[in-house]
Amino acid sequence: MTATAASVARSKPGVWPLQALNFFMADMQAGIGPFLGVFLLGHGWLSGPIGTVMTAGSIAGMLIAAPAGALVDATRYKRAMVVATGTCTVLASGLVLLSQNFWLVTVSQVATAIAGGAIGPAVNGITLGIVRQAGFNWQNGKNQAFNHAGNMVGAALSGFLGWRFGLPAVFWLAALFAVLSIVSVLMIPADAINRRAARGLAEEGADDEGLLGLGVLHRCKPLLILAIALAMFHLGNAAMMPLYGLAVVSAGRGEPASFVAKTIVVGQGVMILGSLTATILAERKGFWVVMLISFATLPIRGVVAAHVIADWGVYPVQILDGIGSGLQTAAVPVLVAQMLHGSGRVNVGQGAVMTVQGIGGAFSPAIGGWLAQTIGYYPTFMILGAFALGSIGLWVAFAGLLRPECERPLGHRSSPHAHVTARRTA
């Protein structure tokens, strides 16, 4: 986008509270997962049950994403959704501290995952409503940079507090961040969020209620390919960091709280740069190249993790994660908005992609956990890394269909697929 459009996006009312929201909401999406595994390991849990609990939460997050996107498109009270998800996170953190019973921990993870699954479409909708279509690429890149910075700061504080006061302090910190997220979203003026723009519609014209849920994938083939490629990637990626922490700690090569904090700080620090790089690279080369690079990082990461189970191995393993995930977190929301621009169902599309992507993320911890328990960490990391080869193959095989959708960032033109979607669902 142009420098003028970027300046306009920065000047919109509510942008600074929006960026604060992205900073503090980090723990609602990814912050305490690795700490939970080590916390439960210290209470006598094995890697298999730990992976099962995380999978249960991931399935809940996967199922809520599309309905949450539909609700974001339909409701005028988008800020209230963030308040509700923050409340869920506070309650979930308290539940884990109350008891380490299998079912109570499972309920806690389900509540946390529902919060994480719902807040993504809500924040995307709020962002679109504030900066409109032309400002979304720039603002989403900044949102993701603030989000990764929040994860990095939260992880560093968690490592210090966990070392100084014990791992329960990590969950208290997550609850505090959730409260600050609620405060941040309430600072965004309600009238700064344009309801039509938040759905990906023009500011004038007739509403199109469009599709609800996963049906949007059937009507937009490039969106379906994107979702499946992401699912295969996250089938390998989601379990990598928690398992690497367990591998190093189990081998006695790292202090639990500080090592897990280091894995997050390194990864999230690189993701900040990755998010901003994706925004710039998309302007110059298009999103197809951005996504291909992101998929290619996981096979390399799997090989490195398998061969370097040591304290210092966190640096290459998490730098690769930072590159791949950082590019994706900035590129995917904008790419979905670009594919569905004009349909009025942008947030349903975001939720649908998150649902399919979540299928891979949901099964990854259970597959990785039981594989590690059965055959060991070395072959497990190799297998997890190999899943992304499917993503690469799919992305290259359908390059002819995907490239026209990926060439130019949102705001330069409308997607032809989105208008087909709108006409067929009217």
Side-chain angles (χ1 to χ4, degrees):
M1 71 187 280
T2 65
T4 300
S7 299
V8 170
R10 287 195 297 268
S11 66
K12 292 285 187 179
V15 166
W16 282 108
L18 175 65
Q19 290 170 173
L21 168 61
N22 278 273
F23 182 90
F24 290 119
M25 78 181 200
D27 278 348
M28 282 190 277
Q29 294 184 300
I32 63 174
F35 289 100
L36 177 67
V38 174
F39 178 75
L40 295 176
L41 190 69
H43 284 78
W45 287 49
L46 297 176
S47 61
I50 291 173
T52 300
V53 165
M54 291 184 175
T55 290
S58 297
I59 291 173
M62 173 188 68
L63 294 176
I64 198 65
L71 181 58
V72 171
D73 280 330
T75 184
R76 296 179 182 272
Y77 304 104
K78 295 172 176 55
R79 298 184 307 161
M81 291 186 64
V82 177
V83 173
T85 57
T87 302
C88 282
T89 301
V90 173
L91 296 176
S93 296
L95 200 58
V96 172
L97 294 175
L98 179 66
S99 172
Q100 289 78 54
N101 172 272
F102 177 84
W103 294 110
L104 284 178
V105 172
T106 301
V107 169
S108 165
Q109 286 308 286
V110 168
T112 301
I114 288 174
I119 199 171
V123 173
N124 285 335
I126 291 171
T127 303
L128 266 173
I130 293 174
V131 303
R132 313 300 196 264
Q133 299 282 6
F136 191 52
N137 184 39
W138 172 266
Q139 187 58 50
N140 182 67
K142 293 190 71 175
N143 284 357
Q144 297 306 324
F146 272 91
N147 184 265
H148 295 313
N151 262 322
M152 185 171 66
V153 172
L157 289 174
S158 295
F160 171 75
L161 294 174
W163 167 75
R164 183 68 177 82
F165 302 105
L167 284 173
V170 174
F171 297 90
W172 287 112
L173 181 66
L176 174 62
F177 268 45
V179 171
L180 293 174
S181 297
I182 294 173
V183 173
S184 297
V185 77
L186 292 177
M187 292 175 63
I188 299 174
D191 58 4
I193 305 169
N194 183 284
R195 181 171 180 262
R196 293 180 60 83
R199 297 177 56 197
L201 286 171
E203 295 189 30
E204 299 294 337
D207 282 351
D208 172 24
E209 292 304 318
L211 283 169
L212 296 179
L214 298 177
V216 70
L217 297 176
H218 173 67
R219 302 299 178 94
C220 183
K221 189 174 180 181
L223 196 69
L224 177 61
I225 296 169
L226 171 66
I228 295 173
L230 287 169
M232 289 189 288
F233 177 87
H234 287 280
L235 184 63
N237 190 67
M240 191 76 75
M241 184 173 72
L243 276 180
Y244 191 72
L246 292 178
V248 174
V249 171
S250 298
R253 298 174 183 174
E255 192 277 325
S258 62
F259 179 80
V260 174
K262 189 189 300 181
T263 67
I264 300 174
V265 169
V266 173
Q268 297 295 327
V270 178
M271 285 180 197
I272 295 173
L273 299 177
S275 297
L276 298 175
T277 299
T279 302
I280 298 170
L281 185 60
E283 294 282 346
R284 298 177 179 176
K285 300 294 184 180
F287 288 108
W288 190 86
V289 172
V290 174
M291 294 302 299
L292 182 63
I293 295 172
S294 76
F295 293 143
T297 59
L298 184 57
I300 302 171
R301 188 180 178 218
V303 172
V304 174
H307 288 84
V308 186
I309 299 179
D311 182 77
W312 65 269
V314 66
Y315 295 104
V317 169
Q318 289 307 98
I319 286 173
L320 287 166
D321 182 45
I323 295 171
S325 297
L327 293 176
Q328 285 186 16
T329 56
V332 171
V334 184
L335 186 52
V336 172
Q338 180 164 305
M339 289 178 176
L340 296 177
H341 181 39
S343 70
R345 308 310 299 164
V346 167
N347 296 298
V348 172
Q350 301 281 5
V353 169
M354 288 175 64
T355 297
V356 178
Q357 170 183 309
I359 293 174
F363 287 100
S364 183
I367 292 173
W370 288 109
L371 281 175
Q373 187 172 316
T374 305
I375 62 177
Y377 289 108
Y378 176 88
T380 297
F381 290 134
M382 297 292 287
I383 292 171
L384 292 176
F387 284 128
L389 297 176
S391 302
I392 296 171
L394 188 64
W395 203 248
V396 172
F398 288 94
L401 178 65
L402 293 166
R403 276 187 177 274
E405 293 293 313
C406 299
E407 283 303 316
R408 302 179 68 187
L410 183 64
H412 289 289
R413 55 103 173 104
S414 298
S415 167
H417 292 277
H419 295 303
V420 170
T421 300
R423 288 196 300 271
R424 293 178 66 180
T425 58

